[in-house]
Amino acid sequence: MAETVHAADHSERLEFRTELKQLLDLIIHSLYTKKEIFLRELISNAADAIDRLRFEALKDPSLIAGAPDFRIELIPDEAGGTLTIRDNGIGMTREGIVENLGTIARSGTRSFLESLKQANAAQRPELIGQFGVGFYASFMVADKVTVLSRAAGAGAEAQAVRWQSDGEGSFEVSDADKPNRGTDVTLHLRDDAKEFLSEWRLKEIVKQYSDYIEHPIVMEVEREEDGTKSKQAETLNSRQAIWLRPKNEVKEDEMKSFYRSIAREDGDPLKTIHLAAEGVTEFRALMFIPSQRAWDWMAGPERKSGLDLYVRRVLIQHECEQLAPPYLRFVRGVVDSADLPLNVSRETLQHNPLLAKIKSNVTNRVLKTLEEMKSSEYETYVKFFREFGEYLKEGTVNDYANRPRLADLLLFESTLSKPGEFTTLGRYVESMKPDQKQILYLAGDTRGMLENSPYLEAIKASGQEVLLLSDPIDEYLVSGLMQYKEKPFRAADRGDSPTDEAQAEKLKEATKSYKPLLEALQSRLSEEIKETRLSARLNQSAAVLVADDQAMSAHMERLMQRMGRGSEIPPSKRILELNPDHPAMAALKTIVEKDPSDPRVESLGRLLYDQAVIAEGSRVIDPAAFARRINELIAKQS
């Protein structure tokens, strides 16, 4: 309620309650982050008033007699510095205007909805203003607000009323003259808000926030024909909420045009997804899977969502992160809810179980579409995966609930696939050799480097398949996924070399013979390597560097350094593995046996180490010394 300060001749000055003054100040200065939101709020209120009148007219058609066409008008007055938002909706009585505008957070809409709990659901109007504070966003841009309203209907109830306030703590209510039903909200704009008198600025705001309001939003705009300027009424909003129409009524050209408008792209979508959920959670969604990544991902921080949230045709949140998990941010589209509760500012969503259900539905439908595409349109899916595969890999790690489905959607190159072609984890496991227990992979910068890596020599000779992982996210993926259908992942460049009993016995005997060489190299390269040992993973190269099972791979270290996080990597030493069957090892073994102190042991040992560094894809620490050793070998051939 409000407190009366003075009353005379049907004119009253009243004060907002003391505690509500503080709330009003909060609304004006803190609640909304963007000034232009005021227009969205006032247009939404106007649309609510029209919808409410339409509902009431079902019982009493006389309420709209003589003026059945509904509209919302924007009337900028540059000379007077005012902006008026006019509707021909239900209007307000004197009592109603004091109740609704004199008591903050007491919304007529909300009270009206409470009275309609028993109403026929099919006839219930969809109203958005459920918290009664959107109107007060006007004071962000205006130093005075005047509301002129006349309730629909005849008799004393139709007496027009004027409400006026400067937002400083009091408001004035008086009788007024208004020939037609509805409400005019006139904002006396501050000097720093005169931009909202500009035609293009008002068009821009309506297009962004209220383009799909069902009722026409009309403004007189200046036109020039044959050198003569005149004012003509123009409808600013499209009114076509394409996602609310039945799928079979929407033409393909309309769908493509809508996609281009929301995705800001010239191309066509790869797939279109329609979703209409009914029951406990009612919402509609129209989503698109793009054909390619948008250029804006290179221009700054990547957007966190591609879905806009609407409530009954009104934009509530652009790129709403709560509608889908982050890894589906490539999906473009809109979600429109009929009953999603909002917080008072409509800019931040309440934590509500309905929103979680919408997110679950959206995620499930997008994944189902991708599964169908992979199954029945494989080439199209490959095209999609080349553009957006890394997003699915991100999701495989982070979305535990959907991890099995996402893992089945992944594509990989392998040693048994042609360049540019892919296999899946399912196909890999099905084709594993009977004695193979692990999914083998090797991560690096390019396929060419990986398939010629010395780490794969013995594995390829055995006929086993190795996944070739060249995306920066791949090592993060396998470390998070850990296994697929109870088959663990194993890096080909980490841990002990896989051996059978015969190979293990052979290595054991060779190690006895090579012990002096192993000890000599270990002592001379102790600052660079953790251990020196013989390997069964090589059959062509002389040496490789491997990491322990739980240690960071060389490829991951390089990625961290490229991201500027090299200082976070603790110093690590790898294991130098030697091929006992290589002629270079036999020659170096002979030198050590003749004279363990021969300087060639260290020189050639370091040459082997540098070769192994290059083979793993890393940079030699001292390129000049490496070149000198090579030149010395060349000189000795003369």
Side-chain angles (χ1 to χ4, degrees):
M1 295 291 295
E3 299 174 1
T4 302
V5 174
H6 173 73
D9 299 327
H10 300 287
S11 178
E12 298 176 285
R13 177 174 295 277
L14 304 98
E15 290 186 352
F16 296 113
R17 282 183 172 179
T18 303
E19 66 271 19
L20 296 183
K21 293 178 183 178
Q22 299 174 357
L23 180 57
L24 180 58
D25 184 70
L26 174 67
I27 292 168
I28 296 171
H29 299 106
S30 305
L31 193 59
Y32 294 94
T33 58
K34 299 177 181 178
K35 283 186 176 182
E36 66 262 26
I37 292 297
F38 84 90
L39 188 58
R40 182 193 73 181
E41 297 297 310
L42 295 180
I43 289 175
S44 295
N45 288 346
D48 287 351
I50 292 173
D51 288 337
R52 185 171 173 180
L53 177 58
R54 288 200 309 180
F55 181 81
E56 294 289 354
L58 294 175
K59 297 178 292 183
D60 183 3
S62 67
L63 291 174
I64 58 174
D69 295 329
F70 299 108
R71 60 191 282 160
I72 300 166
E73 294 180 66
L74 303 185
I75 308 171
D77 179 359
E78 292 189 22
T82 64
L83 173 65
T84 298
I85 296 84
R86 172 178 293 164
D87 70 71
N88 58 349
I90 192 75
M92 289 179 283
T93 63
R94 185 186 190 92
E95 180 183 0
I97 209 168
V98 172
E99 284 286 318
N100 295 324
L101 302 187
T103 306
I104 301 174
R106 177 183 177 86
S107 169
T109 297
R110 189 173 186 179
S111 298
F112 179 60
L113 286 177
E114 289 294 324
S115 70
L116 293 179
K117 286 184 177 179
Q118 305 302 320
N120 186 319
Q123 296 180 331
R124 179 174 174 174
E126 294 181 332
L127 307 179
I128 190 172
Q130 297 196 28
F131 287 88
V133 298
F135 166 79
Y136 300 97
S138 305
F139 290 104
M140 292 193 299
V141 297
D143 51 25
K144 184 171 71 173
V145 177
T146 301
V147 179
L148 181 63
S149 189
R150 176 176 174 174
E157 289 291 311
Q159 171 63 54
V161 61
R162 176 182 287 104
W163 181 99
Q164 189 167 283
S165 176
D166 58 7
E168 294 296 328
S170 65
F171 60 92
E172 183 176 336
V173 181
S174 60
D175 292 342
D177 293 325
K178 189 178 190 303
N180 303 312
R181 69 166 192 265
T183 300
D184 295 2
V185 179
T186 299
L187 311 181
H188 302 261
L189 297 176
R190 295 192 176 96
D191 289 338
D192 62 356
K194 294 299 173 66
E195 65 179 283
F196 300 113
L197 295 173
S198 165
E199 286 185 6
W200 72 265
R201 186 72 172 104
L202 293 173
K203 288 181 179 180
E204 179 185 52
I205 297 170
V206 170
K207 188 70 176 176
Q208 180 176 1
Y209 293 103
S210 307
D211 194 42
Y212 307 110
I213 289 286
E214 180 181 2
H215 314 294
I217 302 170
V218 180
M219 180 174 68
E220 286 195 348
V221 299
E222 190 173 86
R223 298 278 179 84
E224 183 173 348
E225 295 181 5
D226 300 326
T228 303
K229 294 182 178 180
S230 63
K231 290 280 188 177
Q232 298 182 22
E234 179 180 318
T235 299
L236 307 184
N237 56 326
S238 69
R239 306 172 61 194
Q240 297 296 317
I242 194 171
W243 60 85
L244 298 180
R245 292 160 55 188
K247 179 180 177 181
N248 58 4
E249 293 183 8
V250 181
K251 297 179 181 179
E252 184 177 357
D253 288 346
E254 290 181 291
M255 197 69 70
K256 291 179 178 178
S257 177
F258 179 71
Y259 165 74
R260 292 173 190 141
S261 70
I262 63 171
R264 297 177 179 84
E265 295 181 8
D266 295 330
D268 296 334
L270 195 65
K271 282 290 177 182
T272 300
I273 304 173
H274 298 261
L275 179 57
E278 298 179 350
V280 177
T281 305
E282 293 190 9
F283 71 93
R284 287 180 177 268
L286 180 57
M287 300 175 289
F288 303 92
I289 297 176
S291 298
Q292 59 186 18
R293 293 180 67 169
W295 287 105
D296 59 3
W297 71 275
M298 297 188 297
E302 187 176 24
R303 68 184 71 188
K304 296 180 180 180
S305 172
L307 298 177
D308 293 342
L309 175 63
Y310 284 76
V311 172
R312 306 171 194 92
R313 298 175 176 235
V314 176
L315 177 65
I316 299 302
Q317 193 171 92
H318 179 51
E319 297 176 0
C320 180
E321 298 174 41
Q322 292 91 340
L323 292 175
Y327 65 88
L328 293 182
R329 58 190 176 276
F330 60 87
V331 179
R332 299 286 186 263
V334 300
V335 175
D336 193 330
S337 170
D339 53 5
L340 184 66
L342 305 171
N343 79 339
V344 289
S345 74
R346 304 185 192 170
E347 292 189 280
T348 305
L349 300 174
Q350 289 180 338
H351 296 290
N352 189 280
L354 293 178
L355 190 63
K357 291 179 181 179
I358 291 176
K359 180 178 181 178
S360 177
N361 274 269
V362 167
T363 303
N364 180 65
R365 188 55 179 271
V366 172
L367 295 184
K368 182 180 179 181
T369 300
L370 295 178
E371 289 164 346
E372 292 171 348
M373 193 194 312
K374 177 173 173 282
S375 174
S376 58
E377 301 175 70
Y378 182 72
E379 293 305 318
T380 302
Y381 182 76
V382 169
K383 179 181 178 182
F384 158 80
F385 194 83
R386 290 185 188 280
E387 292 288 330
F388 302 106
E390 67 181 60
Y391 294 92
L392 299 188
K393 293 176 180 178
E394 174 190 326
T396 305
V397 177
N398 297 325
D399 188 351
Y400 185 82
N402 289 299
R403 179 173 291 177
R405 297 179 69 182
L406 287 161
D408 283 332
L409 288 170
L410 302 179
L411 301 180
F412 299 95
E413 291 192 79
S414 81
T415 51
L416 298 185
S417 69
K418 296 178 181 179
E421 295 184 357
F422 298 95
T423 188
T424 65
L425 292 177
R427 268 183 273 169
Y428 182 101
V429 170
E430 289 175 4
S431 62
M432 286 173 63
K433 293 184 174 299
D435 59 343
Q436 185 178 342
K437 307 298 183 185
Q438 300 162 320
I439 299 173
L440 301 173
Y441 72 91
L442 183 63
D445 295 331
T446 65
R447 178 193 171 108
M449 186 190 81
L450 291 172
E451 62 185 349
N452 295 308
S453 171
Y455 298 106
L456 304 184
E457 290 173 0
I459 296 175
K460 289 196 292 187
S462 70
Q464 295 182 90
E465 186 175 15
V466 182
L467 300 179
L468 305 177
L469 310 183
S470 56
D471 279 349
I473 196 175
D474 282 338
E475 286 217 78
Y476 175 63
L477 167 69
V478 293
S479 64
L481 190 53
M482 298 180 67
Q483 64 177 15
Y484 175 80
K485 293 187 176 179
E486 300 182 351
K487 301 290 184 181
F489 287 87
R490 180 179 179 83
D493 59 347
R494 270 183 277 183
D496 295 331
S497 55
T499 57
D500 55 28
E501 291 185 10
Q503 288 175 318
E505 187 60 32
K506 179 182 177 182
L507 277 180
K508 184 177 179 180
E509 292 301 319
T511 299
K512 294 177 182 178
S513 174
Y514 272 85
K515 185 176 180 180
L517 173 59
L518 298 175
E519 291 177 347
L521 292 179
Q522 180 65 43
S523 64
R524 288 166 173 79
L525 301 175
S526 59
E527 293 186 4
E528 288 84 5
I529 61 176
K530 176 182 179 181
E531 179 186 348
T532 307
R533 68 189 182 198
L534 300 185
S535 175
R537 77 179 83 227
L538 302 172
N539 58 20
Q540 295 177 356
S541 302
V544 291
L545 288 168
V546 299
D548 286 331
D549 273 324
Q550 304 304 319
M552 183 179 293
S553 69
H555 177 60
M556 180 59 75
E557 287 187 6
R558 293 195 298 272
L559 290 177
M560 295 285 284
Q561 290 165 354
R562 290 172 192 168
M563 293 188 293
R565 299 176 60 183
S567 59
E568 300 177 20
I569 305 172
S572 63
K573 296 181 180 180
R574 286 186 281 281
I575 300 165
L576 179 63
E577 287 192 350
L578 307 175
N579 178 2
D581 297 326
H582 198 281
M585 291 301 99
L588 192 53
K589 176 174 174 286
T590 300
I591 294 174
V592 171
E593 289 174 345
K594 290 182 177 180
D595 182 5
S597 63
D598 191 318
R600 290 179 295 173
V601 176
E602 180 171 352
S603 177
L604 294 176
R606 290 193 176 279
L607 188 57
L608 287 171
Y609 171 78
D610 287 342
Q611 288 176 340
V613 170
I614 294 172
E616 75 174 9
S618 300
R619 298 178 61 182
V620 173
I621 295 178
D622 190 347
F626 174 70
R628 185 173 62 252
R629 296 184 190 105
I630 293 290
N631 292 335
E632 289 173 354
L633 282 178
I634 295 173
K636 291 179 181 178
Q637 303 306 311
S638 58

